[in-house]
Amino acid sequence: MSRWAAALIYAVLGAVTFVVCFPLLWAISTSLKPKDEIFRWPPTLIPETITFESYRELLFGGAVASAPGAGVPPSAYFMDWFVNSVIVSVGSTAISITVATLAAYSLTRFRFRGQRAVPYVAILGYMIPSVIFVFPMFLTMVALDLPDTLLSLILGYVCITLPFCLWLMWAFFRGVPIEIEEAALVDGATRLQVFRQIVLPVALPGIIAASIFSLIVSWNDYLFGRVFMNSMDKLPLTVGVMHFFDGTHVDWGLMMASSVLMTLPMAILFGFMQRHLVAGFGAGAVKG
């Protein structure tokens, strides 16, 4: 490949990367601007005056008492929303990965009626739009006296993430040589010891890939949080930040700052786990 061709390819890739990243760059820029500069025309990508007031209000606004007779501003609930999103995302991921790993292992190591149909039924359930079963699930949560609780949100997210996690782990376990397990069983190891000491370490890339998928889906979901939750202090981030829209008024500084803070945890997680994510998806696709 000539230098000109390589330069052209890198130029195209750089332009595409800039277009894709521009909304995030604009959000970061807007979050660092004072309110008068946000509405200035023509707009500027690089702030003339940098301020962290929006971030300070989001992160420490809950510690500031409201004026007598005034309502609590939505920014005061931001840390509650953040903690709620962490709890429901981690909780739903833990349940989905645990169930998917055990189910996928049983599907690839034991024989029973309907064994071959289970993975395909699971992936079919993942293909169904979540809006179809969100309201039946809500009625179920009402019957179980679980509406407006984080547990209901965790169970809702499990319904979204479990089918794909099961499919991915099933495809991954199919590629793990069964001869290794048989040799360990012959040497006197129990099935549980084989699963914990041999199978899980080998399947770790697939588990990490499925976990990251589940975390991202649970973290970014809006529909279940909007339907299941009502209390301001129990909302997830995706629903809570919508309260920065007040009729025709939008606090763009808080909106952009909250968007950056919402993106940051998943960006950091993806950056550290990217190698495992690619390995897990690749191994599941090839071996499955």
Side-chain angles (χ1 to χ4, degrees), residues 37-219:
E37 189 177 346
I38 291 176
F39 298 99
R40 184 179 303 173
W41 186 264
T44 56
L45 180 60
I46 301 177
E48 295 180 1
T49 302
I50 295 179
T51 177
F52 295 93
E53 185 60 33
S54 296
Y55 292 98
R56 189 179 299 110
E57 184 173 349
L58 289 176
L59 297 177
F60 306 106
V64 179
S66 302
V72 179
S75 57
Y77 293 99
F78 181 82
M79 292 307 300
D80 292 330
W81 301 337
F82 192 93
V83 172
N84 293 340
S85 290
V86 171
I87 292 175
V88 297
S89 298
V90 173
S92 61
T93 297
I95 296 175
S96 295
I97 296 303
T98 301
V99 175
T101 302
L102 296 175
Y105 182 75
S106 66
L107 288 172
T108 55
R109 295 299 185 267
F110 304 106
R111 294 183 179 181
F112 51 88
R113 183 174 298 178
Q115 173 187 7
R116 295 183 178 181
V118 172
Y120 299 98
V121 173
I123 199 63
L124 179 63
Y126 173 71
M127 295 178 181
I128 298 175
S130 56
V131 68
I132 293 179
F133 53 83
V134 64
F135 291 106
M137 282 196 60
F138 175 74
L139 296 178
T140 302
M141 296 303 167
V142 172
L144 296 175
D145 196 23
L146 291 177
D148 200 27
T149 62
L150 296 183
L151 179 58
S152 66
L153 209 52
I154 290 175
L155 296 177
Y157 290 159
V158 168
C159 293
I160 301 177
T161 59
L162 180 58
F164 184 80
C165 291
L166 174 59
W167 172 271
L168 180 62
M169 295 307 302
W170 170 75
F172 197 92
F173 278 129
R174 290 179 64 189
V176 178
I178 195 173
E179 292 78 11
I180 303 177
E181 301 175 43
E182 293 175 345
L185 291 173
V186 170
D187 290 339
T190 64
R191 175 66 68 175
L192 181 59
Q193 290 175 330
V194 170
F195 181 75
R196 291 175 54 187
Q197 301 177 12
I198 298 177
V199 177
L200 285 183
V202 175
L204 186 60
I207 294 175
I208 293 176
S211 300
I212 295 176
F213 164 82
S214 179
L215 279 171
I216 292 176
V217 170
S218 302
W219 186 268

Side-chain angles (χ1 to χ4, degrees), residues 204-206 208-209 212 272-281:
L204 186 60
I208 293 176
I212 295 176
F272 279 105
M273 298 296 182
Q274 181 180 7
R275 179 171 57 88
H276 298 285
L277 182 65
V278 174
F281 279 123

Side-chain angles (χ1 to χ4, degrees), residues 242-252:
M242 297 303 295
H243 287 275
F244 293 135
F245 288 90
D246 184 14
T248 58
H249 172 71
V250 181
D251 194 325
W252 288 111

